[in-house]
Amino acid sequence: MVMVHERRFQRIALLAAAAMYIVTAWFSTGYHASDEHHQIIAFAQHRLGELPEGHLAWEHERAMRSSFQPWIALIVIQGARASGLDDPMLQAFVLRLLTATLAMFVMWRLLRAVLPEIPEVMRRPFIVVTWALWFLPFLFVRFSSETWSGLFFAWGLASVIDPARGRHWGFAAGAFLTAAILIRPPMALAVLGLWAWMRIVRGDRWSHIRYMLAAVVVVSLAGFLLDSLFYQRIAFSPWNYLSVGIMGPAEHMRFDPVPWWYYPPWVIKYAIPPIGLALLLAFAMLLWRDRRHVLLWCLLPFLVAHTMLPYKEPRFLYSLAPLIPWLLIQGWCYWRETGPGRSMPAWSMFAALGLLVIANVWGLAVVVTQPAGTGRTAFVPALDTHDDAAITHVIEPELAWRIELPPFYRRPLPGDTAIASYAIAGPLTTPLLIARAGGIDALQTATGQYFKPIAASHSAWAAWSLEGYHWGDRPVDWTLYSVREAPGH
């Protein structure tokens, strides 16, 4: 009877998650990091002959990004157009929905593989956290290399640890893990850790490893052929990525280094402090209580290497997102077994859980309903009703790329311009304006014109929430205005 109730709970949770992921895929327009667009969709546009070489990221010239996702984007865009879906917003939605579908399948596979190891009392919380941890729906609709590489790694990991794995699990696992590396080469660190765990801790036979290595050869060859066809020259993106990593990019593209200890504070901040602290505590409990755990062998090489690298970004950790629910639940189980955990007063435990739930619900409410990144794609529907209307972007010209819509969403017009607010000394000549809402009064004084708001990048409550999320370190939201003569003129 307990097993029947658990299966019913899993089905209900899966249906609820599917609804939430579809809603997130619809509203989470645009992209979180620029690479999500400029190294995938823009590459596909170039292959379609719609974007000149000079408009591409420098990684294209060096053929150091896998062509796997650009090929998918190209097929989806062409298929959508053939079906009459010419709206780029709908085409991008299809890519997000495809990602969400892959994520739900992979997380269901991982959940099924891990559940037998989880204490019965913690299985329902594990299911809930797997589907409803606030940042997972947001990341799992992103058509980005971080998300897709993490999902393929989780798929391979599930194939390795699943108690019901089939006869040829080694080849399947090797194929998924190799795909994870091709999409994002740094995932090789986690894959090597998993292979080491299989041999040293679990004691897998070499026959299983040989099947996996055979898959490595097959999938790598497929990646080589896809890359060469896409870049139209002999190319193997992981090798080119490694070459740039060793030799370094061009001098004008070097990045500012940050200290080795940056990732823990970033985890606390960007995962929302209560949840971020829980993540760090869960990892510490795993490191202390079970150094033979497969999660630790996968996470530790990846985290140590990224800690030592001088250039860091929070998104470099996003590929580990599919493993976080398991880490949190496992860490909580270990915590409850320790002295402090056993002696923890009931009121403090409920208070801590309540704080985690409130933070999680707050995060979900924002990421499920709001556009990603700067939110500039929220302007696209309004711009569709203003055909051939040029835009003045109130920002320093060299920074205009931060708010300009990529050509995929809106073709540039001859009258488009960018100008710093301090350089405006007369009326604007464009019918539309994109500017920070906080400085609109000064602009009206400087131009003698009236600006009517048409659309905002985020809703007022979400903008307030995001300001708190970024600890006050977030720029003011952008607003799209129509430019009119001042009242009385």
Side-chain angles (χ1 to χ4, degrees):
M1 183 63 69
V2 173
M3 185 64 69
V4 172
H5 288 168
E6 185 176 297
R7 289 173 181 168
R8 183 182 304 158
F9 184 81
Q10 288 188 45
R11 287 195 295 269
I12 294 173
L14 184 63
L15 290 174
M20 179 171 61
Y21 277 50
I22 292 172
V23 172
T24 307
W26 178 259
F27 285 106
S28 190
T29 59
Y31 46 92
H32 173 57
S34 60
D35 289 359
E36 183 181 340
H37 174 87
H38 293 289
Q39 295 185 13
I40 298 178
I41 293 179
F43 281 20
Q45 279 189 283
H46 174 69
R47 193 70 176 79
L48 289 167
E50 300 172 0
L51 196 64
E53 175 85 27
H55 288 219
L56 299 176
W58 62 273
E59 287 89 346
H60 184 275
E61 180 185 356
R62 301 198 178 193
M64 58 176 286
R65 297 297 183 186
S66 171
S67 64
F68 179 64
Q69 286 180 274
W71 275 120
I72 294 175
L74 186 151
I75 293 170
V76 167
I77 292 171
Q78 287 187 319
R81 291 173 178 174
S83 303
L85 297 178
D86 295 323
D87 187 345
M89 293 288 282
L90 290 178
Q91 295 167 8
F93 168 67
V94 173
L95 292 173
R96 293 193 299 274
L97 195 60
L98 177 63
T99 305
T101 303
L102 173 66
M104 292 202 65
F105 172 77
V106 169
M107 295 305 288
W108 172 79
R109 280 282 284 118
L110 187 60
L111 188 67
R112 190 181 69 176
V114 174
L115 265 180
E117 296 184 12
I118 303 299
E120 189 173 307
V121 69
M122 293 303 298
R123 288 180 182 175
R124 290 194 177 190
F126 180 39
I127 294 169
V128 171
V129 172
T130 294
W131 298 123
L133 185 60
W134 76 268
F135 51 79
L136 293 185
F138 174 78
L139 293 179
F140 287 168
V141 302
R142 305 261 65 81
F143 190 65
S144 67
S145 62
E146 292 85 6
T147 292
W148 277 61
S149 65
L151 290 173
F152 273 100
F153 176 81
W155 198 350
L157 174 61
S159 301
V160 169
I161 65 175
D162 192 347
R165 56 185 179 270
R167 181 179 177 184
H168 301 295
W169 65 268
F171 189 88
F176 301 142
L177 295 172
T178 306
I181 296 173
L182 293 181
I183 295 170
R184 189 156 182 80
M187 284 305 290
L189 298 163
V191 172
L192 290 175
L194 176 59
W195 282 346
W197 176 85
M198 291 171 60
R199 282 294 298 158
I200 298 171
V201 177
R202 197 169 72 173
D204 281 46
R205 297 192 303 270
W206 274 110
S207 59
H208 296 153
I209 304 297
R210 285 197 294 270
Y211 276 117
M212 298 181 79
L213 292 177
V216 170
V217 173
V218 172
V219 176
S220 296
L221 179 60
F224 167 74
L225 294 175
L226 287 173
D227 286 347
S228 299
L229 182 61
F230 186 85
Y231 289 108
Q232 298 183 315
R233 61 183 185 273
I234 298 298
F236 187 47
S237 55
W239 174 257
N240 296 336
Y241 185 99
L242 181 62
S243 299
V244 171
I246 294 174
M247 302 300 295
E251 186 65 32
H252 67 285
M253 294 177 180
R254 296 195 182 278
F255 307 105
D256 295 330
V258 295
W260 65 268
W261 47 266
Y262 252 51
Y263 277 123
W266 274 346
V267 168
I268 294 173
K269 177 180 179 180
Y270 292 115
I272 302 179
I275 298 173
L277 286 169
L279 277 172
L280 295 183
L281 180 60
F283 182 76
M285 293 302 302
L286 187 66
L287 187 61
W288 177 35
R289 293 296 304 275
D290 191 358
R291 297 184 181 90
R292 295 170 60 85
H293 200 287
V294 63
L295 266 181
L296 188 63
W297 285 69
C298 294
L299 294 174
L300 201 57
F302 188 93
L303 293 174
V304 169
H306 280 75
T307 296
M308 301 307 295
L309 289 173
Y311 178 55
K312 299 174 175 63
E313 287 188 39
R315 67 182 178 89
F316 292 168
L317 305 184
Y318 291 173
S319 296
L320 304 179
L323 310 182
I324 298 305
W326 187 9
L327 175 63
L328 283 171
I329 295 299
Q330 194 67 61
W332 176 257
C333 292
Y334 288 148
W335 170 256
R336 294 298 293 163
E337 294 171 2
T338 64
R342 288 197 304 268
S343 60
M344 187 177 183
W347 68 265
S348 61
M349 180 182 69
F350 285 117
L353 290 175
L355 188 61
L356 290 170
V357 169
I358 291 172
N360 196 74
V361 171
W362 173 50
L364 273 178
V366 174
V367 301
V368 169
T369 63
Q370 300 297 309
T374 60
R376 67 186 112 174
T377 48
F379 303 147
V380 174
L383 290 173
D384 287 341
T385 63
H386 293 76
D387 292 337
D388 298 325
I391 301 174
T392 294
H393 303 83
V394 182
I395 192 172
E396 290 80 357
E398 65 272 14
L399 301 177
W401 59 270
R402 295 183 177 179
I403 62 172
E404 289 176 341
L405 284 162
F408 176 72
Y409 294 100
R410 174 187 176 272
R411 61 183 178 84
L413 297 176
D416 289 347
T417 186
I419 184 171
S421 57
Y422 56 78
I424 297 177
L428 302 180
T429 59
T430 63
L432 297 176
L433 167 76
I434 293 179
R436 292 184 173 94
I440 203 64
D441 291 338
L443 287 175
Q444 291 183 158
T445 301
T447 62
Q449 294 169 310
Y450 171 68
F451 306 126
K452 181 182 178 181
I454 300 174
S457 56
H458 293 95
S459 64
W461 72 269
W464 175 84
S465 298
L466 289 168
E467 182 71 13
Y469 171 73
H470 286 273
W471 297 10
D473 191 28
R474 180 174 180 266
V476 178
D477 276 276
W478 299 94
T479 302
L480 173 68
Y481 299 90
S482 63
V483 180
R484 303 182 178 183
E485 292 301 319
H489 285 69

